Amino acid sequence: MKQFLALLFFIPVLCGCIVAQDPVQQKYAAEINPETAKAHLSILASAEFEGRGTGEAGGERAAAYIAGEFEKLGLAAPVNGSYFQPVKLTRTRFDVKDFTINGKPFANGEDFYFVGSGPVSRIDAKEIVFIGYGISETQYDDLKGIDIKGKVVLLLSEGEPKNAQGNSLISGSSEPSEWVTSRTKRLQNITSREPKLIIAVSSTIKESLERFGGRLVQPRISLEGGAGQPSPNTTPVANISTEMADLLLARAKTSVAALEQKINNTQQPQSTTYKARLSTTFGSVSEPFTSPNVLGYLEGTDLKNELVVISAHYDHEGNQNGTIFFGADDNGSGTTGVLTLARAYAKAKAEGHGPRRSILFIAFTAEEKGLLGSNYYSRNPVFPLENTVVNLNMDMIGRIDDKHLRGNHNYVHAIGSDKLSSELKVINENANAEYTHMELDYMYDDPKDPMRIYYRSDQYNFAKHGIPVVFYFSGLHPDYHTPADTVDKINFEMLAKRARLAFHTAWEIANRDKRLVVDSNKE
């Protein structure tokens, strides 16, 4: 009988995944449910919010909505009594006032698109320098003996010279050379020689304009003072179609196809100067503006000076010439996760179960512009970074990605959990084993992952300061960064479950005796 009683006593230990559950945690985790998530996301990804573009009216409405929800929950406003941390940004628009070939006008973003920076400039060219593919190799050099400094050059921006067998003259085989596979090699070769303007010809320009439209010519947004701003291109590039290039070459009585054929037939560069008429005025115009991070603060008890940060970015691609990029998954889903976790923790505190460590809920602006909102916060923290224990970031947690579409839908990508702390991954895995029971997919933790997802969301601006992070992510799908990322495609059961994992992981970190260790570096 004693052995039988002992066995009965031991059974709960074997079933720790059941009895180890804390009923207090379960009670408040239940506040994170599909119904509440759908209510929030249906607002955030509605037409009224117009894609939540940074610096746009829809983005301002989203920020106001999030702050209003934090206020309803009784969270403190930690930015000098405000929920808003104004992020100082600069909007730089590359204006093309006119662009005419042989007197025929063309519109930037409709017929072609410009990429560039620098002061306003005027060009009235009566000749252009054709530089073939812009390749410089021992066996084939389009730029040999040609001075293009301060001149307008015409570049074939795709392909490379081939022999009669169709093999590359550069690689010597059917495999393309690096001049084709690299996105920047030929432009770097040309810009180093300081031309005034590069006119790059491609057969895919029309397709690109149809697919991306105004996104190709939308303003560049950076932190004020240039922090987070991409390095400017030293030479402006006008990307034009073959039809536009043929018009440019009309006075020389030749065409793009004829020049390509001549290069291939002779297997020699055909670089030369042609008479042509091109007029254009272009240049960068910058203006400062602000867009807020939205912060809500829940004070802890005996360890309140230490901080757990739970975050997501609320911005998306906005309204582009009347087309709304709704951003339901990216990142209305993560923002919804933050709001539902804030509700669960606020209720827990109101009922006497508040966390020992304080929790800061942040909805970041301008993530889509280069992680700018989180970059700004990490440079101007409201609470000292040295007191921040962890950042749990949710970005796209509402869909099933291509990898899992025909397999297990009950999963989440948990990214970066072991890069800085040997404890964090274990805590997250234990929380999942006890409460949410999902497949934890670590594919994006592979250092050889070409997507480099770990570096592409807001948690990285904490990790680079030595703060452990987990990035919760459901993966990429065909609607990513398209107008088709809509609420009707969200899996609310999985959104809520992924958010609950963040809740349980945060609960353990916020309430444990010892601060999370930082003892690893797998950058």
Side-chain angles (χ1 to χ4, degrees):
M1 178 64 73
K2 288 182 180 179
Q3 289 178 336
F4 180 67
L5 290 174
L7 182 60
L8 287 178
F9 181 77
F10 189 64
I11 286 174
V13 178
L14 293 175
C15 301
C17 60
I18 297 174
V19 300
Q21 291 182 343
D22 175 2
V24 176
Q25 282 192 61
Q26 285 181 300
K27 174 182 178 181
Y28 299 110
E31 296 294 321
I32 305 168
N33 55 64
E35 295 74 25
T36 303
K38 188 172 185 178
H40 282 306
L41 189 51
S42 296
I43 294 170
L44 288 165
S46 66
E48 180 186 357
F49 283 65
E50 299 183 273
R52 308 183 305 281
T54 301
E56 298 177 13
E60 293 177 2
R61 291 189 196 104
Y65 175 78
I66 296 163
E69 292 301 305
F70 285 168
E71 185 175 19
K72 288 178 188 176
L73 295 170
L75 299 184
V79 190
N80 298 319
S82 173
Y83 293 103
F84 300 118
Q85 180 189 39
V87 177
K88 298 178 181 180
L89 300 167
T90 299
R91 181 187 291 108
T92 302
R93 184 177 66 255
F94 192 77
D95 269 352
V96 181
K97 294 184 179 179
D98 61 82
F99 191 91
T100 63
I101 297 174
N102 293 339
K104 183 177 180 179
F106 294 91
N108 186 33
E110 296 178 16
D111 303 310
F112 71 103
Y113 67 94
F114 242 107
V115 177
S117 61
V120 174
S121 302
R122 174 72 183 175
I123 293 177
D124 288 299
K126 295 182 180 179
E127 61 182 27
I128 58 168
V129 182
F130 175 68
I131 57 170
Y133 296 97
I135 292 173
S136 294
E137 292 282 356
T138 303
Q139 67 272 39
Y140 178 94
D141 189 349
D142 282 309
L143 297 171
K144 185 177 182 180
I146 296 178
D147 180 15
I148 61 172
K149 184 174 182 178
K151 298 179 180 178
V152 177
V153 299
L154 179 64
L155 166 73
L156 302 176
S157 65
E158 57 189 2
E160 60 185 328
K162 296 181 178 180
N163 61 22
Q165 291 72 43
N167 292 329
S168 162
L169 294 184
I170 313 304
S171 70
S173 70
S174 59
E175 293 297 317
S177 73
E178 189 180 2
W179 293 91
V180 172
T181 58
S182 170
R183 296 176 58 188
T184 59
K185 189 174 179 67
R186 70 180 80 196
L187 277 179
Q188 288 173 345
N189 184 43
I190 299 163
T191 56
S192 67
R193 299 162 194 256
E194 302 180 25
K196 181 161 52 177
L197 172 65
I198 299 171
I199 302 176
V201 187
S202 170
S203 61
T204 63
I205 294 300
K206 287 185 177 180
E207 178 186 345
S208 296
L209 288 167
E210 288 174 2
R211 182 177 178 186
F212 299 109
R215 296 173 69 185
L216 294 171
V217 295
Q218 66 184 4
R220 184 176 68 250
I221 292 175
S222 60
L223 289 178
E224 184 180 75
Q229 181 175 348
S231 299
N233 199 350
T234 54
T235 304
V237 180
N239 297 276
I240 71 171
S241 66
T242 52
E243 290 82 3
M244 290 176 65
D246 287 346
L247 180 61
L248 191 61
L249 293 165
R251 293 184 69 190
K253 298 182 180 179
T254 188
S255 67
V256 170
L259 291 170
E260 287 179 326
Q261 186 176 14
K262 196 171 183 180
I263 292 172
N264 289 335
N265 287 345
T266 63
Q267 299 185 28
Q268 295 293 326
Q270 298 298 313
S271 303
T272 190
T273 299
Y274 289 116
K275 297 293 183 182
R277 288 173 53 208
L278 171 73
S279 297
T280 181
T281 304
F282 56 81
S284 296
V285 179
S286 297
E287 58 179 354
F289 73 105
T290 61
S291 180
N293 292 328
V294 190
L295 285 67
Y297 178 67
L298 188 77
E299 188 175 66
T301 55
D302 60 313
L303 298 173
K304 65 182 180 181
N305 288 334
E306 295 182 5
L307 194 70
V308 171
V309 174
I310 297 173
S311 67
H313 74 90
Y314 69 87
D315 66 297
H316 193 55
E317 296 289 349
N319 185 336
Q320 299 182 20
N321 298 321
T323 300
I324 296 175
F325 287 68
F326 294 95
D329 191 29
D330 185 14
N331 185 33
S333 63
T335 306
T336 294
V338 168
L339 291 173
T340 56
L341 263 75
R343 172 182 171 174
Y345 275 104
K347 185 172 183 179
K349 180 174 180 178
E351 296 179 358
H353 298 285
R356 298 175 67 189
R357 291 176 175 85
S358 300
I359 300 179
L360 181 64
F361 301 94
I362 311 181
F364 290 116
T365 186
E367 187 270 357
E368 301 289 1
K369 306 304 179 183
L371 316 185
L372 301 184
S374 56
N375 190 348
Y376 185 86
Y377 180 85
S378 72
R379 293 164 179 262
N380 304 274
V382 175
F383 298 93
L385 288 185
E386 58 266 27
N387 292 353
T388 300
V389 173
V390 71
N391 172 227
L392 305 179
N393 186 54
M394 293 172 280
D395 192 347
M396 297 175 63
I397 59 170
R399 293 281 293 268
I400 308 301
D401 65 8
D402 294 337
K403 175 182 178 179
H404 296 86
L405 199 57
R406 289 190 173 91
N408 178 27
H409 290 193
N410 185 40
Y411 76 96
V412 66
H413 297 283
I415 303 169
S417 61
D418 66 344
K419 287 189 180 292
L420 295 168
S421 172
S422 60
E423 294 179 338
L424 181 54
K425 183 176 182 179
V426 175
I427 290 170
N428 192 61
E429 288 181 339
N430 287 345
N432 181 60
E434 292 174 9
Y435 297 102
T436 50
H437 314 299
M438 291 182 286
E439 171 198 347
L440 299 180
D441 191 327
Y442 294 115
M443 66 177 284
Y444 291 119
D445 275 342
D446 184 345
K448 297 179 181 178
D449 169 43
M451 300 294 291
R452 292 176 61 82
I453 295 291
Y454 171 70
Y455 305 92
R456 289 173 53 184
S457 193
D458 291 307
Q459 78 291 327
Y460 182 64
N461 280 319
F462 289 87
K464 72 184 185 183
H465 288 282
I467 298 168
V469 302
V470 184
F471 170 18
Y472 299 101
F473 180 55
S474 58
L476 301 173
H477 48 76
D479 298 323
Y480 172 68
H481 277 213
T482 76
D485 181 8
T486 50
V487 173
D488 57 296
K489 296 171 185 172
I490 296 295
N491 186 324
F492 285 100
E493 290 287 344
M494 287 310 303
L495 189 162
K497 182 178 278 194
R498 291 160 181 152
R500 283 198 297 273
L501 176 57
F503 169 87
H504 289 296
T505 299
W507 186 284
E508 167 62 21
I509 296 169
N511 289 296
R512 69 203 306 257
D513 290 333
K514 293 184 178 180
R515 177 174 174 154
L516 197 65
V517 301
V518 180
D519 60 356
S520 181
N521 186 356
K522 297 186 178 182
E523 286 285 322

